[in-house]
Amino acid sequence: MNGNAFKKRIPPCSLYAWILLGIAGFPATSAAQNWRHPERDTVVYRYPMRIEPEISGSFAELRATHFHGGMDFRTRQREGIKVYSAAPGYIVRATVERASYGNALYVWHPNGTLSIYGHLKKFSQPVKRKVKRLQRQSGQFEVSLDNLYVKTRKNRAIARSGNTGASGGPHLHFEILKDSLRLNPACWGLEIPDTVAPELLWFAFYSSSAAGHADTSLLRHHEEAQKRLNAFNEARQGKQGDLDSETGILAEYMGSPLLDYRMQQALEQERDSLRRCVLSLNDTLPSRNMADLRLRLPSPHQTDPSDPGNWHGWYYKYENLPDTLFINAASAFGLCALDRIQEMPFHYGLYRLAFLIDWDEPIGGKQSNGTPAAERGRNPGFQDTIASYQLDYLPVATCKAIRQHIDMPFYRATKNRLEKSYLEPGQSLTPYRILQNRGIFQPKPGSQGRLVIIAEDIAGNRSTIRIPFICR
C-alpha cells in the first residue's frame, strides 16, 4: 500500500488536534452514551512497558482541576525505560511542551482509537529527527508535529519514559481516546490485580430543612432541653438531686403528697414544654447523633450560585454514621471515598458509585419510580436510583468539570474531595449516567426505607453504606 492510499484510509490529522484541544467536547450522542466497548475485539492492547505493571494514578481519579484522563504507570523512579505502542498502528502526532504532557506521542489504531503516551524523556529516532528539524525551523522549543505517519513495530520501542511536562516524578501517562470520549484503559485489558475494597471516609447529607438552625446554638439548645427533660423524668421517679439549680427545686419533693397543687401543675407544664422543644428540635436535625462538620452551601434550586441560600451540608465521618436520617424536605447525599491497591502507597478513583433508595414498601404499588431497567438489573431489590456512574468512559469536556462535581466548600475545609449526588444550578456536565431529578431526593411523607451507597473499584471490590431514613 502506498502512502497516499494509507492517508485516504485514516482521518486527517486535524481531527486529532480538534479532539485534544477539547473542541470535540460536546455532549456525546445517545449512541455513544449507550456504548461500552466498540470494536474491542479488533485490537489487542498490551502494557506499554515491559516491566511489572503498577499504577500511581487511575482513570477518572479526582485531581485538583480535572478528572484524570488515563492511567499513570510507575517506572520505579527511573527514566529511560522503553515504551512500546499498546497496539499496532501509526504514530501520527508528537508534541513538546514545558507543561501538560511534556514530550508526548499519539498513536492511531485501526479500530479508530488514539493512544497517548506522555511525560517521555525522548522519542525514537524517526520521530526525534523530524521534531528536531521542526524546532530548528520554527525557532521554538515547544512544537506540535502533526504530519507524522510512522508505523509502529511490535518489538521496536517508540520512546523512552521520562519526567517531562507537568509531572511529579518519573512515570508514563497513558490514555485511550475515541471521538470525543476518553476510554478507561482497564476496560480494554490493562487491568491491575486488586483485592482491596474502597475506603469510605465521609458521608454527606444535604437539605434545606436545617435552614437557619445549622449553628452551635441549635445543638446547645437541643442538648440542654434533652438534659432538662431527662432530669425532670428522673425527679418524677423519686431520684435525688436538683432539677434546676436556678430555682432550687429539689427532686425529693417531687413525690411528696404535700406538694402544692399549683407547683405540680407548673412542673407538668414545664415537662410538656421540654418535650415539645425536644421534638421540634429533632425535626430540624438530620439525625440524633451530631455531625462532625456543618457547612452552608449554594442551593441547587437557585439561579445565582454565589448566593448561599438555605442549603446546608451535614458531614459525618465513616465511624460516626447516623443511625437514622430524618428527612422532611428535598435532600441530597455525598460520599468521600478512596480506592487502594494492596501494598501500594497511592490512592485511586472509584470505578462505580451509586446512591440508591430501598423503600420498606413499594410506593403506589410499583416497584420503581422512574429508575431505568438497566440500573435495576445491576441493583436487584432497589426501587430508586438517585445517581449512578460507571466509568467505562468519560467525555473529554466532562473531565474539566470536576469543581462542579465535588463539594468545594467541604474541600476548602478539609482538603478531601467529596462527590455530591446532585447537580449545581446550570451544571450540565457530569460523570453520572443515571440521574433522577438532578440527583435530589424528594421525600414521601410517612414513608421510610434505607439509603444505600455503593462504592466499587474496577476489580469488583465493593464497599457499601446502608442508613435507614424516615420521611416526615
Side-chain angles (χ1 to χ4, degrees):
M1 181 187 300
N2 58 41
N4 292 331
F6 166 70
K7 293 179 182 179
K8 293 179 181 178
R9 292 186 58 186
I10 69 172
C13 291
S14 59
L15 173 62
Y16 306 111
W18 186 50
I19 293 173
L20 299 168
L21 289 174
I23 302 177
F26 51 82
T29 63
S30 58
Q33 290 175 345
N34 295 328
W35 156 89
R36 179 169 179 175
H37 304 307
E39 302 173 309
R40 175 175 176 174
D41 297 333
T42 63
V43 170
V44 177
Y45 291 84
R46 64 179 182 179
Y47 295 103
M49 295 183 293
R50 294 178 180 175
I51 59 176
E52 185 69 22
E54 296 178 350
I55 61 171
S56 57
S58 64
F59 178 77
E61 179 182 320
L62 306 177
R63 298 289 178 89
T65 59
H66 62 283
F67 292 92
H68 191 224
M71 298 175 72
D72 286 341
F73 287 97
R74 295 187 68 200
T75 59
R76 299 175 178 85
Q77 298 301 314
R78 293 160 50 197
E79 297 186 31
I81 297 176
K82 290 183 178 180
V83 176
Y84 299 85
S85 176
Y90 291 82
I91 302 173
V92 295
R93 189 171 188 240
T95 61
V96 177
E97 299 175 294
R98 290 186 174 88
S100 189
Y101 294 157
N103 298 337
L105 289 178
Y106 301 76
V107 178
W108 176 86
H109 305 288
N111 66 345
T113 60
L114 190 73
S115 58
I116 303 176
Y117 310 78
H119 310 303
L120 304 171
K121 182 177 183 179
K122 58 182 180 180
F123 307 127
S124 60
Q125 283 301 324
V127 178
K128 181 180 178 181
R129 287 195 296 267
K130 294 184 179 182
V131 170
K132 291 292 185 183
R133 186 182 306 119
L134 179 60
Q135 287 177 323
R136 288 195 298 268
Q137 292 174 352
S138 65
Q140 301 290 329
F141 171 78
E142 295 189 320
V143 294
S144 176
L145 186 58
D146 293 327
N147 56 341
L148 286 174
Y149 300 102
V150 179
K151 187 175 183 178
T152 62
R153 308 286 182 178
K154 182 177 181 180
N155 296 315
R156 186 177 298 174
I158 61 174
R160 298 275 182 160
S161 68
N163 188 33
T164 59
S167 172
H171 72 282
L172 174 67
H173 174 83
F174 175 78
E175 64 182 79
I176 303 175
L177 283 172
K178 184 176 179 68
D179 300 327
S180 61
L181 303 176
R182 282 191 167 101
L183 312 183
N184 189 341
C187 294
W188 292 70
L190 303 185
E191 302 97 343
I192 302 295
D194 181 10
T195 60
V196 181
E199 178 184 1
L200 307 180
L201 302 179
W202 289 82
F203 163 74
F205 175 78
Y206 304 98
S207 179
S208 60
S209 63
H213 301 289
D215 54 21
T216 56
S217 62
L218 168 69
L219 303 180
R220 185 178 66 253
H221 293 327
H222 179 273
E223 292 172 352
E224 290 177 355
Q226 186 68 58
K227 184 177 179 180
R228 287 168 60 84
L229 180 59
N230 293 340
F232 188 94
N233 291 332
E234 290 177 359
R236 292 291 291 174
Q237 294 173 4
K239 296 184 179 180
Q240 300 296 319
D242 288 336
L243 171 65
D244 192 322
S245 59
E246 294 181 2
T247 60
I249 301 175
L250 298 177
E252 59 182 306
Y253 293 106
M254 296 299 296
S256 172
L258 300 178
L259 184 65
D260 183 82
Y261 174 76
R262 284 178 293 183
M263 177 65 73
Q264 184 177 353
Q265 288 291 99
L267 291 174
E268 288 179 353
Q269 291 177 3
E270 172 74 4
R271 177 199 61 193
D272 294 340
S273 175
L274 286 172
R275 284 177 177 173
R276 287 193 299 271
C277 179
V278 170
L279 290 175
S280 174
L281 290 171
N282 276 340
D283 285 341
T284 64
L285 292 172
S287 68
R288 289 196 175 95
N289 59 320
M290 302 307 168
D292 296 285
L293 179 67
R294 302 176 307 280
L295 296 173
R296 192 176 182 185
L297 296 89
S299 171
H301 307 290
Q302 290 178 292
T303 56
D304 183 8
S306 62
D307 181 7
N310 60 352
W311 195 249
H312 291 263
W314 300 72
Y315 305 89
Y316 302 82
K317 293 181 179 179
Y318 179 67
E319 58 271 17
N320 185 40
L321 290 177
D323 54 358
T324 303
L325 286 175
F326 303 104
I327 305 176
N328 56 9
S331 304
F333 313 98
L335 182 70
C336 176
L338 300 174
D339 186 32
R340 299 192 184 276
I341 297 177
Q342 57 275 12
E343 301 177 1
M344 290 286 101
F346 310 99
H347 58 77
Y348 311 95
L350 301 175
Y351 169 65
R352 182 166 175 249
L353 176 62
F355 297 88
L356 310 168
I357 295 295
D358 182 15
W359 297 100
D360 281 349
E361 294 181 0
I363 303 300
K366 298 181 181 180
Q367 182 184 4
S368 72
N369 182 23
T371 301
E375 182 67 10
R376 295 200 302 274
R378 289 200 295 267
N379 302 287
F382 298 110
Q383 301 158 15
D384 280 313
T385 298
I386 299 173
S388 175
Y389 67 63
Q390 182 170 304
L391 296 175
D392 300 315
Y393 61 86
L394 202 60
V396 173
T398 302
C399 290
K400 301 176 182 179
I402 189 171
R403 290 179 179 267
Q404 293 178 302
H405 177 67
I406 67 173
D407 187 328
M408 288 304 297
F410 179 79
Y411 175 73
R412 286 189 287 266
T414 67
K415 301 305 178 185
N416 289 308
R417 297 183 177 95
L418 184 145
E419 300 182 72
K420 303 175 302 192
S421 71
Y422 68 93
L423 302 186
E424 293 184 356
Q427 180 181 351
S428 58
L429 300 175
T430 175
Y432 290 119
R433 295 170 62 182
I434 297 176
L435 198 65
Q436 186 178 148
N437 191 33
R438 295 181 63 82
I440 298 175
F441 174 63
Q442 295 289 351
K444 302 173 177 64
S447 61
Q448 60 186 28
R450 280 159 298 281
L451 167 70
V452 181
I453 306 177
I454 297 175
E456 190 173 315
D457 62 26
I458 189 68
N461 303 303
R462 175 182 290 188
S463 296
T464 305
I465 289 177
R466 291 180 174 86
I467 303 176
F469 66 83
I470 298 175
C471 298
R472 292 178 170 174

